[in-house]
Amino acid sequence: MIRWRSKRVSRYHHNHIIFTRRYNSTTAVTVPPSTITKQITEPESLLHLVRTLCVQRQLDKALTLFYAQERFHNSDLFIYSQTYTTLLHACALKKSFSEGQALHHHFLSLNLKPSLFITNHLINFYSKCGQLDYAQYIFDEMPERNLISWTALISGYYQHNQPEKCFKLFSCMLCHHLPNEFTFGSVLGSCDRHRGQQVHGLAVKTSFDEHVYVGNSLITMYCKNDADDHTGDGWLVFKNLPVRNLISWNSMIRGFQLCNRGDRSLQLFSEMHRTGVGLDRVTLLGVTASISCSGYIGENGVLLGLEKCCQLHCLVTKMGFLWEVEVVTVLVKAYSELGAGIDDCCKLFSEINGNQDIVSWTGIITIVADRDPKQALLLFCQLRRECLDLDRYTYSIVIKACAGFASARDCSAIHSLVLKCGFNGDLVLSNALIHAYARSGSITLSEQVFDSMDTRDWISWNSMLKAYAIHGQGREALKLFASMNIKPDPATIVAVLTACSHAGLVDQGTEIFETMFEKYGISPQNDHFACMVDILGRAGRIHEAEAFINRMPVKPDPVVWSSLLGACRKHGEMKIAETASMQLMELEPKNSLGYIIMSNIYSSNGSFKDAALIRKEMKGFKVRKEPGLSWIEVGNEVHEFAAGGQFHPLKDAIYAELEGLIRNLKKIGYVPEISFALQDMEEEHKQEQLYYHSEKLALAFALINGGNSCYRGPIIRIMKNIRICVDCHNFMKLASDLVQREIVVRDSNRFHHFRNGVCSCSDYW
């Protein structure tokens, strides 16, 4: 609490920092007088010239001039103090620590007693440079202090994120001085809600709450700490301010945006525009970021959000802010989050051609990476030609994009650049590489990165556990989990349970789930419950999975019901599937998963009328099914296939290759699983329907491009956006044995490595 009673300020003991004993004359900068181009005849002219150079941001020239005119340093102490503090202030603004410390040493060499004016500038300089131990030592050694002394150090603690020391020093100051608006502003910036309310009460008592600078700080403090209160107190402060400036409006707009009240932020911006307050770059940054969180939901909402984004874009252009790289960067992000196309985002990004910085480049690559990894990689190549200094955040996004490719080739290329640029061992990049290598099919390279790391955090361990999970290596995941040298977090348990599920390790997964609270203090959440339902369901224990859901202490979410529904699909359990699908459709009426799986279950059991009714209902609710697609990379080009392959330019050749492959596979035992054909038709037609699934077409295309001697060769890698069906799974197993090549299929859940007629999943997926 803030205390008013007298209290002695505690002294910080820093025996290693004693300025009067550590001065070394070699640290002072000395420049020959011959370098001075203008003759200085009196101290006042030196002060004037130093001030001019500092205003022009020519600190080096100002220091050169100052050191060259040593004859004036003892002639007029008042003028010298003015010159000295001017230089110290310039060093503080530029955070030029070595130059400012050399100035301090130079002053000590003159054996002058520092005035209060000079000492305050020294505290400000060391505080601005983040050297708070130095600043505190000087403060403690001062024979007298004024309000500026306290405020300078309080501001230093605030600016360098040391709220405890900031608030403690502010409380001590009240025994000696009442704060001014700048002191209030600094301490409020470091306060949580409880302490901020105390400072607010003091501001009211001292009538500083009506000062616009203090009011703006109060708005920011409440908005920062009022996520649950939706900035109620911040809004009250804003409304009661007798005078508001542009910062007041910007602070309130930003506050609403931080609390996900974009609608209020936009309303306030409209009012601000109507009243003629004006706006600046900060206003546009706040309101643009608010558009994507303005609460417009659904198809009409997205259109309305895009409309507002376009209106703001017009205003930005009209007011000449289109050249502000920060404004365009956040505008591109808003367009992307509202569903605008990649081409539109890239076009807006290109309008600031030549002015992009590394932040804007990283922003556009981030936007593109999730939707079009190949284009993200092309943008990265373009960025490298811009000769900008790439940071680890840029590399991490590009590595993330590489996770979307079927092979690890691109990820390896980026990895080599990371090593070349000196980021070897960077924790963030190593974690990203583990994930990307695993997602692009190379668990071995993921292991190499993980093993080479000197330090690991939760993300490192979780990424490696997830890598083992998607590659079906459950026992390796359990070994890794047992060797963890840090306490698991909730995501760790999800990863290891997923690995158990994919590998059929029911007993091990059950034991981990049942002891997770006792051993690790982690309470099960919906993700953990969904994993357990998946573990039981995949093992065919459908009724146990249903009973488990009924005993859950929390309401099951869509992931829990979809896990149960998927298990019912695999094991042909229609009755429980109907319950699960109804629950899933109720929770997510626009999600096609419940409709599609239930329709497939009916079709597999021959209930084609019920399946047709489900699809009719789906059509009536305008629920769209995600089409099954497969991708394969051949000759540095990615080829996409849909079921039927009607639109591929090499359709006839692919069909011919596939038909020949099917004939050869039938000779070694391939029998189409016609029970998985989803329409009521003749058996011959059901077989034809199965033959032209997208992954089969992708395989045939790969074999065509392997030449006549395609049987034996490099790994064939296929990506698929939905779960691989039983028939295609059997087809790939036999094909891998026939053509003597490894076939890797990455579906929506995991990787399948087919070698010599066997799949890595052991037919458990």
Side-chain angles (χ1 to χ4, degrees):
M1 291 182 60
I2 298 175
R3 301 185 183 276
W4 288 80
R5 61 186 178 83
S6 177
K7 182 178 179 182
R8 185 180 178 187
V9 180
S10 62
R11 180 181 298 261
Y12 286 70
H13 297 288
H14 299 289
N15 295 328
H16 63 290
I17 307 173
I18 303 180
F19 294 108
T20 56
R21 296 181 180 177
R22 67 173 293 195
Y23 171 71
N24 182 347
S25 60
T26 60
T27 60
V29 180
T30 57
V31 181
S34 59
T35 61
I36 305 301
T37 59
K38 184 171 181 178
Q39 185 68 31
I40 305 296
T41 59
E42 54 185 16
E44 289 83 356
S45 57
L46 173 62
L47 173 60
H48 174 73
L49 199 52
V50 165
R51 280 178 173 169
T52 302
L53 290 171
C54 289
V55 168
Q56 295 173 351
R57 298 184 181 180
Q58 299 185 53
L59 178 59
D60 291 340
K61 290 183 179 180
L63 288 169
T64 299
L65 184 63
F66 174 75
Y67 288 123
Q69 301 298 321
E70 289 195 48
R71 67 184 187 277
F72 294 130
H73 291 182
N74 286 307
S75 60
D76 188 327
L77 292 181
F78 177 77
I79 297 297
Y80 172 77
S81 297
Q82 294 286 325
T83 310
Y84 178 71
T85 54
T86 298
L87 289 167
L88 267 181
H89 183 66
C91 290
L93 291 177
K94 289 189 66 175
K95 294 181 173 55
S96 301
F97 175 65
S98 58
E99 290 83 353
Q101 191 175 47
L103 270 173
H104 189 185
H105 292 168
H106 177 81
F107 178 84
L108 294 174
S109 71
L110 301 177
N111 293 319
L112 299 174
K113 183 180 179 181
S115 65
L116 181 62
F117 179 65
I118 289 177
T119 309
N120 286 345
H121 272 80
L122 283 168
I123 294 172
N124 178 65
F125 160 71
Y126 283 116
S127 296
K128 287 284 194 299
C129 292
Q131 303 295 325
L132 294 169
D133 285 348
Y134 287 124
Q136 182 71 57
Y137 179 84
I138 294 172
F139 180 85
D140 289 343
E141 293 297 314
M142 293 175 71
E144 61 172 326
R145 308 181 187 103
N146 61 10
L147 182 57
I148 296 173
S149 315
W150 292 87
T151 302
L153 189 54
I154 288 170
S155 298
Y157 282 129
Y158 156 61
Q159 291 164 1
H160 294 280
N161 197 29
Q162 296 194 29
E164 294 295 330
K165 290 184 177 180
C166 180
F167 190 76
K168 181 178 180 181
L169 191 64
F170 178 79
S171 299
C172 292
M173 183 200 71
L174 298 178
C175 303
H176 309 279
H177 301 280
L178 285 177
N180 61 15
E181 65 269 25
F182 302 109
T183 321
F184 273 118
S186 294
V187 74
L188 283 168
S190 67
C191 284
D192 58 18
R193 181 180 177 82
H194 176 65
R195 287 176 172 175
Q197 286 177 320
Q198 294 183 55
V199 178
H200 189 179
L202 178 59
V204 172
K205 289 180 180 179
T206 54
S207 300
F208 271 102
D209 61 316
E210 295 185 350
H211 194 287
V212 67
Y213 186 84
V214 178
N216 294 343
S217 299
L218 284 166
I219 292 169
T220 302
M221 183 276 296
Y222 279 121
C223 291
K224 180 181 67 175
N225 295 299
D226 276 7
D228 297 329
D229 192 38
H230 299 300
T231 72
D233 289 332
W235 176 243
L236 286 175
V237 172
F238 178 81
K239 286 198 303 182
N240 292 327
L241 272 178
V243 177
R244 303 179 191 132
N245 59 12
L246 183 57
I247 297 174
S248 312
W249 292 85
N250 288 347
S251 300
M252 199 65 244
I253 287 173
R254 174 66 173 161
F256 282 133
Q257 186 255 320
L258 287 174
C259 295
N260 291 319
R261 291 301 308 272
D263 52 337
R264 295 288 303 276
S265 181
L266 293 173
Q267 291 170 8
L268 191 62
F269 175 70
S270 298
E271 180 184 346
M272 175 184 180
H273 200 47
R274 283 195 306 270
T275 54
V277 175
L279 53 86
D280 62 2
R281 178 178 59 86
V282 177
T283 317
L284 293 171
L285 291 175
V287 75
T288 305
S290 299
I291 290 177
S292 54
C293 66
S294 53
Y296 301 123
I297 302 172
E299 294 179 3
N300 293 334
V302 170
L303 290 175
L304 185 56
L306 279 173
E307 179 184 340
K308 288 186 176 294
C309 199
C310 289
Q311 292 173 357
L312 189 63
H313 187 179
C314 292
L315 181 63
V316 167
T317 305
K318 181 179 178 181
M319 300 195 68
F321 283 98
L322 201 58
W323 293 104
E324 291 276 358
V325 64
E326 297 94 340
V327 174
V328 175
T329 299
V330 74
L331 194 59
V332 169
K333 183 181 179 183
Y335 270 124
S336 172
E337 291 177 348
L338 291 167
I342 291 177
D343 291 341
D344 294 328
C345 294
C346 289
K347 183 179 179 182
L348 176 57
F349 173 76
S350 66
E351 289 184 10
I352 52 171
N353 187 30
N355 292 322
Q356 296 101 330
D357 58 9
I358 191 62
V359 176
S360 59
W361 275 104
T362 303
I364 191 66
I365 293 173
T366 302
I367 289 167
V368 175
D370 287 331
R371 301 198 227 172
D372 191 343
K374 184 176 180 180
Q375 188 171 349
L377 205 58
L378 292 174
L379 282 169
F380 175 73
C381 294
Q382 186 179 345
L383 165 60
R384 291 187 65 210
R385 293 192 291 269
E386 296 293 324
C387 299
L388 293 172
D389 292 329
L390 307 187
D391 56 25
R392 65 175 185 162
Y393 302 105
T394 309
Y395 277 115
S396 68
I397 295 301
V398 179
I399 292 170
K400 179 185 175 183
C402 291
F405 294 114
S407 74
R409 182 188 60 190
D410 296 295
C411 190
S412 295
I414 301 300
H415 191 179
S416 66
L417 288 176
V418 167
L419 298 177
K420 185 178 179 181
C421 294
F423 288 113
N424 186 29
D426 183 273
L427 185 60
V428 172
L429 296 181
S430 296
N431 292 341
L433 284 165
I434 293 170
H435 170 75
Y437 276 133
R439 293 295 295 174
S440 55
S442 182
I443 187 69
T444 303
L445 291 175
S446 290
E447 289 174 326
Q448 289 178 8
V449 174
F450 182 82
D451 292 339
S452 68
M453 296 174 69
D454 295 327
T455 58
R456 305 183 184 108
D457 60 4
W458 281 287
I459 298 175
S460 314
W461 291 94
N462 294 350
S463 297
M464 197 64 234
L465 286 168
K466 290 174 184 176
Y468 282 132
I470 63 174
H471 284 270
Q473 299 187 18
R475 297 196 181 278
E476 286 77 5
L478 288 175
K479 290 178 184 176
L480 185 68
F481 179 63
S483 69
M484 284 184 67
N485 56 12
I486 59 175
K487 184 179 178 181
D489 66 358
T492 312
I493 304 299
V494 170
V496 74
L497 288 177
T498 303
C500 291
S501 175
H502 286 178
L505 304 174
V506 180
D507 293 338
Q508 294 90 329
T510 302
E511 182 183 357
I512 290 169
F513 176 82
E514 290 178 347
T515 60
M516 59 186 288
F517 181 77
E518 179 185 345
K519 286 186 176 180
Y520 313 114
I522 299 172
S523 299
Q525 300 300 318
N526 261 315
D527 286 345
H528 304 102
F529 289 116
C531 287
M532 272 309 300
V533 171
D534 198 43
I535 286 173
L536 295 171
R538 285 177 189 267
R541 294 155 67 168
I542 309 295
H543 292 282
E544 287 184 50
E546 183 186 31
F548 179 85
I549 293 175
N550 293 334
R551 295 195 306 270
M552 283 175 56
V554 296
K555 183 179 179 181
D557 67 0
V559 180
V560 173
W561 290 114
S562 62
S563 297
L564 181 62
L565 191 56
C568 293
R569 164 78 167 95
K570 179 179 179 179
H571 297 285
E573 175 57 60
M574 187 183 298
K575 185 176 180 181
I576 296 177
E578 289 175 338
T579 302
S581 65
M582 287 177 60
Q583 294 288 344
L584 184 57
M585 293 175 196
E586 182 179 337
L587 291 171
E588 292 186 339
K590 291 296 183 180
N591 187 346
S592 65
L593 184 65
Y595 300 92
I596 295 300
I597 293 182
M598 199 63 235
S599 173
N600 292 350
I601 291 174
Y602 282 137
S603 297
S604 298
N605 285 276
S607 303
F608 294 105
K609 289 184 179 179
D610 291 328
L613 286 174
I614 289 286
R615 291 183 179 271
K616 184 178 180 181
E617 182 181 353
M618 181 178 171
K619 186 177 180 181
F621 286 122
K622 297 181 179 180
V623 178
R624 299 185 62 182
K625 174 186 179 295
E626 182 181 13
L629 300 173
S630 293
W631 296 268
I632 190 165
E633 185 177 353
V634 175
N636 295 329
E637 185 176 353
V638 177
H639 295 261
E640 181 180 281
F641 294 89
Q646 296 293 325
F647 302 105
H648 198 281
L650 297 177
K651 178 185 68 173
D652 294 336
I654 293 170
Y655 278 10
E657 179 70 26
L658 181 57
E659 289 165 4
L661 181 61
I662 290 170
R663 284 194 299 270
N664 291 330
L665 290 178
K666 284 184 175 180
K667 292 176 184 178
I668 60 172
Y670 170 61
V671 178
E673 291 280 354
I674 60 173
S675 63
F676 290 93
L678 303 179
Q679 295 181 22
D680 187 11
M681 59 179 69
E682 297 296 329
E683 184 173 319
E684 181 180 348
H685 291 153
K686 289 182 179 181
Q687 291 187 17
E688 290 178 358
Q689 184 190 59
L690 292 173
Y691 290 161
Y692 301 112
H693 280 190
S694 61
E695 53 266 59
K696 293 189 179 82
L697 295 170
L699 175 61
F701 181 72
L703 295 175
I704 290 173
N705 284 273
N708 294 328
S709 60
C710 61
Y711 289 22
R712 296 184 182 276
I715 298 174
I716 297 173
R717 300 180 185 274
I718 300 170
M719 290 176 58
K720 185 172 175 63
N721 66 333
I722 59 176
R723 179 180 180 271
I724 187 172
C725 72
V726 173
D727 182 72
C728 288
H729 192 269
N730 293 338
F731 184 94
M732 294 294 171
K733 283 197 301 181
L734 292 170
S736 69
D737 189 37
L738 177 67
V739 303
Q740 286 298 293
R741 292 173 70 173
E742 181 179 350
I743 302 170
V744 178
V745 177
R746 168 182 156 186
D747 69 8
S748 59
N749 293 326
R750 58 173 297 161
F751 279 86
H752 298 266
H753 296 260
F754 300 96
R755 302 185 190 94
N756 301 317
V758 178
C759 181
S760 60
C761 73
S762 301
D763 297 340
Y764 191 93
W765 85 99

